[in-house]
Amino acid sequence: MVTIYDIAAQANVSAMTVSRVINNTGKISEKTRLKVKKVMDELGYVPNQMARSLVLQQTRILFLLITDIMNPFYTTLARGAEDAARKHGYRLLFGNSDESLDKEGEYINTILTTRVDGALLAPAGDPSLPHLEQLRKHNVPFVLLDREVPGIACDIVLGDSKDGARSLVEHLVKQGHRRIALVNGSSSISSARLRLQGFQEAMKLNDLTLREEDIHETTFGPHLDVEAMGLWIDTIVMDSMPTAIMAGNNVLAVVLIRLLRARGLRIPEDISVVCFDDFGLNSEVDPFITVAAQQAYQFGYLGMQMLIERIQERNSPPPWKRIMLPAELIVRRSVKTQG
Amino acid sequence: MVTIYDIAAQANVSAMTVSRVINNTGKISEKTRLKVKKVMDELGYVPNQMARSLVLQQTRILFLLITDIMNPFYTTLARGAEDAARKHGYRLLFGNSDESLDKEGEYINTILTTRVDGALLAPAGDPSLPHLEQLRKHNVPFVLLDREVPGIACDIVLGDSKDGARSLVEHLVKQGHRRIALVNGSSSISSARLRLQGFQEAMKLNDLTLREEDIHETTFGPHLDVEAMGLWIDTIVMDSMPTAIMAGNNVLAVVLIRLLRARGLRIPEDISVVCFDDFGLNSEVDPFITVAAQQAYQFGYLGMQMLIERIQERNSPPPWKRIMLPAELIVRRSVKTQG
DNA sequence: CTGAAAGCGCTAACAC
DNA sequence: GTGTTAGCGCTTTCAG
């Protein structure tokens, strides 16, 4: 490995001079600068970021932790975060927690041990609290995305889950649906809770009775219990079907639809389906599911901006900021108008 | 920041003893071990990975560079890579080059300066050669994904682009199509070249004449020139339309379909469309486009395995390996059978 | 304008 | 079992 000492020796200067050339600090004669640069090129010098970070106590690297890299919501969000980071000259590293608290813990560890300058994170849920406390304790600036964690005050970008859920229900009601079921993510996740609330409120507002068995709680994300959901469907189907089902996010909707079809049910002819979050790439090609779409890109972009501000104002920290982004109802073909 | 010296002082031992406790090396009396561990907990010690890497000359971190984080092919691949990395106790960091040579260069730089132990990369194309040469020169083990780069010998996982393209054309021909057009990625990308070749060969094999103007070359990925593609469509449409168009990948197919529809053309009634690569999440919900699907997950999983082997056999490097994964034709609803 | 010395937090090698 | 010394590659501080 080529070090500044190798260069110093070759160029007949001190290591310090080389360091100055690299970082453009201090005053250096044009002659030595050129000489040093030449040797650097010849030897193919690459600065050692670890050594530099060790003394500088900063990395100029930020970390983005998402919970499901196969979910278009998060990948779109990642693009937004990336764009904002680049704009401010930061590098961005990604991690994927897979909605798993353990994996999240590992990444928190990576964040801590690699001493990145800050982190943008979508927490796995309320139990993520200790992880966030770790970050706080070690002075790692962070911004939360999409999910609030009770017990910690911090910057956050949220979607208006309650209102989004409400608008989905309203839409169904306007189409004549009276009995509506819900498959939702874990109630240990703030967004899932709010979607449930919005759902319940909208039902009440429309004087619709909500049967307890019409609500099924499972998990967002990649490891959801498909069998349990199938069982639930069998139960409510046997028991005189609801005419519509709302899914707490896009992944749930996909699994739901697959299961419904496996039971010979057509959508929307036999049963209607709506969900939270859009589908990225090919929702453009053959837009099928009626959704409450979130501004995924903005989540990432704005969140990253907040994070960078927080880092820059480190010395005189501003009050915690909170951004709430609306969800937009996009009507497509998965809802049938009821007689 | 809490260091091993702080702990050493508190526990009345030397820093070295603390280091031994942390790393479980050497022999240490149970008593001191417990004492040290206790102090570590109390003080909330977090090892400094930078310092450790600096002396160890390794990070146990691997890097995955993909070219389009919004493309389901790459995110599925990422999941595969992640699973394989975890299995072997490595941490994985992601980067997204966005099909841009510049961004790729920045990430190459990050890879070099952060001294990760190895990299798994989907190169932007043939011009990525200097980047790979940099890695090689600095002894960073790497494995290529999806795209070959002439001029560099290395481990690689490839899809059978030629054969996949051929099977797509064969399918169209069997459905009675005679004039087939192609929108493809840049010919500076090996996979695009092979898809073109497969396309041409299949046309020839079926005695079909291929008009030069029926081939449009643009770029894969997020920054493709939509206008130019629109212009091309206008040209070939005016000039008595082809009955089918093949797209070099999924992103191209989406843009293509959007443009065709904007011109009032229905798919497949007015024109058929097929493409390379599948669509992830909601190709399950409403599978529309007939595709040559690649084993995205396997790309990542096998590639990561090769990378880790390469790192482990560092001292007696095995010959370069090359895996070619077949593409599978999945027939859906975007192709019409011609009279 | 340039250099020498010290230290960032850690571990390998060698002592005791 | 445990401690001392040196050094990973870099930059800050202070001299000149």
Side-chain angles (χ1 to χ4, degrees):
Chain A
M1 173 184 299
V2 182
T3 74
I4 52 171
Y5 288 98
D6 301 325
I7 299 172
Q10 281 277 328
N12 258 317
V13 294
S14 75
M16 203 45 232
T17 302
V18 177
S19 173
R20 290 198 179 95
V21 171
I22 294 169
N23 297 295
N24 256 308
T25 52
K27 298 198 183 304
I28 294 192
S29 78
E30 202 49 30
K31 207 175 109 205
T32 41
R33 148 170 279 112
L34 254 41
K35 188 171 56 177
V36 169
K37 285 229 165 192
K38 186 156 156 274
V39 177
M40 275 172 49
D41 279 356
E42 284 171 9
L43 266 49
Y45 172 72
V46 176
N48 186 325
Q49 182 64 38
M50 321 227 94
R52 181 185 261 159
S53 300
L54 191 58
V55 25
L56 255 33
Q57 303 283 26
Q58 62 147 336
T59 56
R60 298 288 294 177
I61 294 180
L62 265 20
F63 200 94
L64 170 64
L65 184 59
I66 58 181
T67 64
D68 184 0
I69 199 179
M70 314 243 314
N71 185 330
F73 172 71
Y74 287 110
T75 57
T76 308
L77 178 157
R79 266 308 300 280
E82 201 187 6
D83 287 351
R86 289 177 57 79
K87 207 177 119 189
H88 294 273
Y90 280 91
R91 320 221 145 163
L92 184 60
L93 262 20
F94 301 91
N96 173 40
S97 77
D98 228 6
E99 300 278 4
S100 144
L101 215 58
D102 284 351
K103 288 196 196 177
E104 180 178 286
E106 287 178 25
Y107 277 112
I108 294 292
N109 214 40
T110 304
I111 289 171
L112 253 24
T113 59
T114 58
R115 303 290 196 269
V116 294
D117 292 350
L120 193 58
L121 3 120
D126 294 357
S128 298
L129 181 60
H131 292 157
L132 303 181
E133 284 170 337
Q134 264 183 288
L135 294 180
R136 180 59 51 78
K137 181 170 154 202
H138 292 285
N139 278 310
V140 181
F142 64 90
V143 171
L144 250 38
L145 255 25
D146 187 45
R147 299 167 180 188
E148 204 149 14
V149 173
I152 196 114
C154 61
D155 294 321
I156 187 165
V157 184
L158 252 19
D160 196 339
S161 283
K162 210 192 233 184
D163 191 66
R166 222 154 20 198
S167 68
L168 245 19
V169 173
E170 288 295 344
H171 173 70
L172 289 171
V173 171
K174 270 191 208 121
Q175 303 306 309
H177 294 271
R178 317 287 307 161
R179 181 171 164 208
I180 304 169
L182 171 71
V183 232
N184 203 9
S186 162
S187 60
S188 69
I189 298 177
S190 72
S191 58
R193 279 196 299 273
L194 289 168
R195 284 166 203 183
L196 172 60
Q197 268 186 39
F199 178 84
Q200 289 169 324
E201 286 182 19
M203 292 292 277
K204 188 169 280 179
L205 237 59
N206 286 282
D207 289 321
L208 299 177
T209 40
L210 178 52
R211 315 190 188 192
E212 204 175 316
E213 69 270 24
D214 277 359
I215 294 183
H216 179 64
E217 179 182 323
T218 171
T219 58
F220 293 143
H223 299 303
L224 64 93
D225 189 338
V226 177
E227 258 185 69
M229 194 157 141
L231 250 41
W232 172 71
I233 292 177
D234 291 337
T235 314
I236 59 168
V237 165
M238 274 163 39
D239 174 31
S240 83
M241 237 175 7
T243 60
I245 305 182
M246 163 176 157
N249 82 345
N250 47 7
V251 176
L252 285 174
V254 169
V255 176
L256 174 67
I257 290 180
R258 206 192 316 155
L259 290 169
L260 291 171
R261 285 194 180 142
R263 283 153 180 76
L265 296 170
R266 293 159 307 158
I267 298 151
E269 292 81 356
D270 301 319
I271 189 162
S272 297
V273 172
V274 299
C275 74
F276 232 91
D277 294 330
D278 209 348
F279 289 86
L281 243 201
N282 70 331
S283 60
E284 292 190 46
V285 169
D286 201 25
F288 177 67
I289 307 181
T290 292
V291 300
Q294 301 208 79
Q295 303 174 37
Y297 184 91
Q298 291 299 320
F299 272 74
Y301 196 91
L302 297 176
M304 185 53 84
Q305 245 176 221
M306 282 166 80
L307 176 60
I308 292 172
E309 267 172 46
R310 174 73 47 198
I311 292 170
Q312 288 171 345
E313 325 266 290
R314 215 169 178 142
N315 304 317
S316 53
W320 302 121
K321 284 192 199 68
R322 180 193 175 86
I323 296 180
M324 182 163 307
L325 265 14
E328 183 199 4
L329 181 73
I330 303 181
V331 177
R332 303 213 266 237
R333 305 188 277 110
S334 64
V335 174
K336 182 184 140 204
T337 305
Q338 288 300 105
Chain B
M1 173 185 299
V2 182
T3 73
I4 52 172
Y5 287 99
D6 300 325
I7 299 171
Q10 281 277 328
N12 259 319
V13 294
S14 75
M16 203 47 228
T17 302
V18 178
S19 173
R20 288 196 181 99
V21 171
I22 295 169
N23 297 294
N24 255 308
T25 54
K27 298 200 183 304
I28 294 191
S29 79
E30 202 48 28
K31 205 176 110 205
T32 41
R33 148 169 280 114
L34 254 38
K35 186 171 57 177
V36 169
K37 284 229 166 191
K38 185 155 155 277
V39 177
M40 274 173 48
D41 278 356
E42 285 171 9
L43 267 49
Y45 172 73
V46 176
N48 186 325
Q49 183 63 37
M50 320 227 93
R52 182 185 259 159
S53 300
L54 191 59
V55 24
L56 253 35
Q57 302 283 24
Q58 62 147 340
T59 57
R60 297 290 292 180
I61 293 178
L62 266 20
F63 199 95
L64 170 63
L65 184 60
I66 58 181
T67 65
D68 184 359
I69 198 179
M70 316 244 311
N71 185 329
F73 172 70
Y74 286 109
T75 57
T76 308
L77 178 156
R79 266 308 300 277
E82 201 186 6
D83 288 351
R86 289 178 57 79
K87 208 178 117 190
H88 295 272
Y90 280 91
R91 319 220 146 162
L92 184 59
L93 262 19
F94 301 91
N96 173 39
S97 76
D98 227 7
E99 299 279 4
S100 142
L101 216 57
D102 284 351
K103 289 196 195 176
E104 179 176 287
E106 287 177 26
Y107 277 112
I108 294 293
N109 213 40
T110 304
I111 290 171
L112 254 22
T113 60
T114 58
R115 304 290 196 270
V116 294
D117 292 351
L120 194 56
L121 5 117
D126 294 358
S128 298
L129 182 58
H131 292 158
L132 304 181
E133 283 170 337
Q134 264 183 287
L135 293 180
R136 180 59 51 79
K137 183 171 152 202
H138 293 283
N139 278 311
V140 180
F142 65 90
V143 171
L144 250 37
L145 255 24
D146 187 46
R147 301 167 179 186
E148 203 148 18
V149 173
I152 197 112
C154 60
D155 294 321
I156 187 165
V157 183
L158 252 18
D160 196 339
S161 284
K162 209 192 232 183
D163 191 66
R166 222 152 25 196
S167 67
L168 246 18
V169 173
E170 288 295 344
H171 173 69
L172 289 172
V173 171
K174 272 192 207 121
Q175 303 306 311
H177 294 269
R178 317 287 306 160
R179 182 173 162 204
I180 304 170
L182 172 71
V183 234
N184 203 10
S186 162
S187 60
S188 70
I189 298 177
S190 72
S191 57
R193 278 196 299 274
L194 289 167
R195 285 166 203 184
L196 171 60
Q197 267 186 41
F199 178 84
Q200 289 169 324
E201 286 182 20
M203 292 293 277
K204 188 170 279 176
L205 237 59
N206 286 284
D207 288 321
L208 298 177
T209 40
L210 177 53
R211 312 189 190 192
E212 204 173 316
E213 68 271 23
D214 277 359
I215 294 183
H216 178 64
E217 180 182 322
T218 170
T219 58
F220 292 144
H223 298 302
L224 63 92
D225 189 338
V226 177
E227 258 185 69
M229 195 157 140
L231 250 41
W232 172 71
I233 292 177
D234 291 336
T235 314
I236 61 168
V237 166
M238 272 163 40
D239 174 30
S240 82
M241 234 173 14
T243 60
I245 304 183
M246 161 176 159
N249 82 346
N250 47 5
V251 177
L252 285 174
V254 169
V255 176
L256 173 68
I257 289 180
R258 204 192 320 157
L259 290 169
L260 291 171
R261 286 194 178 141
R263 281 155 182 77
L265 297 170
R266 293 159 308 160
I267 297 150
E269 293 81 355
D270 300 319
I271 189 162
S272 297
V273 171
V274 298
C275 75
F276 231 91
D277 292 332
D278 209 347
F279 289 87
L281 244 202
N282 71 330
S283 58
E284 293 190 46
V285 169
D286 200 26
F288 178 67
I289 307 180
T290 292
V291 301
Q294 301 207 80
Q295 303 175 36
Y297 184 90
Q298 290 299 321
F299 272 74
Y301 195 90
L302 297 175
M304 185 53 83
Q305 244 175 223
M306 281 166 81
L307 176 60
I308 291 172
E309 269 174 44
R310 173 74 47 198
I311 291 170
Q312 288 172 343
E313 324 266 289
R314 218 172 175 139
N315 305 315
S316 53
W320 302 121
K321 284 192 199 67
R322 180 193 175 85
I323 295 180
M324 182 163 308
L325 264 15
E328 182 199 3
L329 181 73
I330 302 181
V331 176
R332 304 211 267 236
R333 306 187 278 109
S334 65
V335 174
K336 182 184 139 206
T337 306
Q338 287 299 105

